Amino acid sequence: NAGVTQTPKFQVLKTGQSMTLQCAQDMNHNSMYWYRQDPGMGLRLIYYSASEGTTDKGEVPNGYNVSRLNKREFSLRLESAAPSQTSVYFCASSKRGIETEAFFGQGTRLTVV
Amino acid sequence: GIQVEQSPPDLILQEGANSTLRCNFSDSVNNLQWFHQNPWGQLINLFYIPSGTKQNGRLSATTVATERYSLLYISSSQTTDSGVYFCAAYTSGSRLTFGEGTQLTVNP
């Protein structure tokens, strides 16, 4: 039982490049989330998916797109990376929305140069 | 939206000391979690605590939802307790909102 798995763990991009961060959970959870954490700060919600087939914007959605591929997988795409998107990205899942305990992946450290 | 405030922002302890971390939230919440982010960046679940008190070894937490705060107690601290402690509050609209954390350093 791996929990929430993110790939890759580290990535360096040049400004303007695109990439997709992958997230998969094996806990049969309905809800999944993407957060970013900037140095010295808490986590801010980018997008979430309350259930398979739905996605909604969070606090900082600009510059990102998401896809809920199936119940297990939720990907985050940067279409044209900018230095302001340098951050650590965390994926999380919970059983049935915000009123149940959320579990986090190990994070992806992204640097945009 | 809801504001989540944690105090103190920084805390330095000697090994063996006790501490209390506080989390205030500006509106009613559906639920609350405490996390420990270790020096490697991993977020570890400590407590899922909508109300009342829970204990897990040297750690315990209390949430008083009607008064909009939660407390995390660490007793007999160890160097491995170092890291950042976050509280995160659940609000309507499926948002889990984080505070800015308390940076804890436990010296040997």
Side-chain angles (χ1 to χ4, degrees):
Chain A
N1 189 343
V4 179
T5 302
Q6 295 180 229
T7 55
K9 290 185 174 57
F10 302 93
Q11 184 72 47
V12 179
L13 288 179
K14 293 182 179 178
T15 298
Q17 287 185 319
S18 63
M19 79 161 295
T20 299
L21 279 64
Q22 306 286 352
C23 175
Q25 52 89 11
D26 62 3
M27 296 177 282
N28 199 34
H29 284 173
N30 292 304
S31 302
M32 298 185 72
Y33 314 84
W34 277 105
Y35 287 85
R36 62 177 287 173
Q37 184 181 27
D38 299 315
M41 296 181 66
L43 279 71
R44 293 183 293 169
L45 183 64
I46 305 172
Y47 271 94
Y48 64 98
S49 171
S51 61
E52 187 178 356
T54 68
T55 59
D56 286 285
K57 295 179 180 179
E59 184 183 357
V60 288
N62 292 343
Y64 306 95
N65 286 300
V66 291
S67 295
R68 184 73 182 267
L69 304 171
N70 48 55
K71 190 172 185 178
R72 289 186 63 248
E73 298 172 290
F74 188 39
S75 63
L76 178 72
R77 183 161 178 83
L78 287 69
E79 291 291 350
S80 179
S84 61
Q85 293 178 304
T86 294
S87 190
V88 180
Y89 291 85
F90 287 95
C91 177
S93 71
S94 64
K95 188 171 184 180
R96 56 175 189 273
I98 56 100
E99 294 187 5
T100 55
E101 188 174 6
F103 295 87
F104 282 77
Q106 78 277 23
T108 296
R109 189 173 297 274
L110 175 67
T111 302
V112 183
V113 298
Chain B
I2 191 172
Q3 303 298 315
V4 179
E5 295 182 352
Q6 293 186 241
S7 60
D10 298 280
L11 186 59
I12 300 174
L13 301 174
Q14 287 300 122
E15 202 166 24
N18 303 328
S19 61
T20 301
L21 282 59
R22 187 176 180 100
C23 174
N24 292 332
F25 34 92
S26 61
D27 204 347
S28 58
V29 297
N30 302 97
N31 225 316
L32 188 130
Q33 280 189 243
W34 282 96
F35 297 89
H36 175 214
Q37 188 168 40
N38 63 23
W40 296 271
Q42 186 181 7
L43 279 166
I44 299 165
N45 289 34
L46 296 178
F47 295 101
Y48 171 70
I49 183 166
S51 62
T53 297
K54 291 185 176 180
Q55 181 152 8
N56 184 2
R58 296 181 295 103
L59 274 62
S60 64
T62 296
T63 296
V64 184
T66 54
E67 297 187 21
R68 300 180 184 174
Y69 72 90
S70 184
L71 302 174
L72 177 69
Y73 305 96
I74 304 173
S75 64
S76 303
S77 58
Q78 301 176 358
T79 56
T80 52
D81 294 331
S82 296
V84 184
Y85 289 80
F86 289 105
C87 71
Y90 290 80
T91 64
S92 60
S94 297
R95 278 166 167 71
L96 180 58
T97 301
F98 280 75
E100 294 196 355
T102 292
Q103 174 76 57
L104 175 65
T105 302
V106 181
N107 292 321

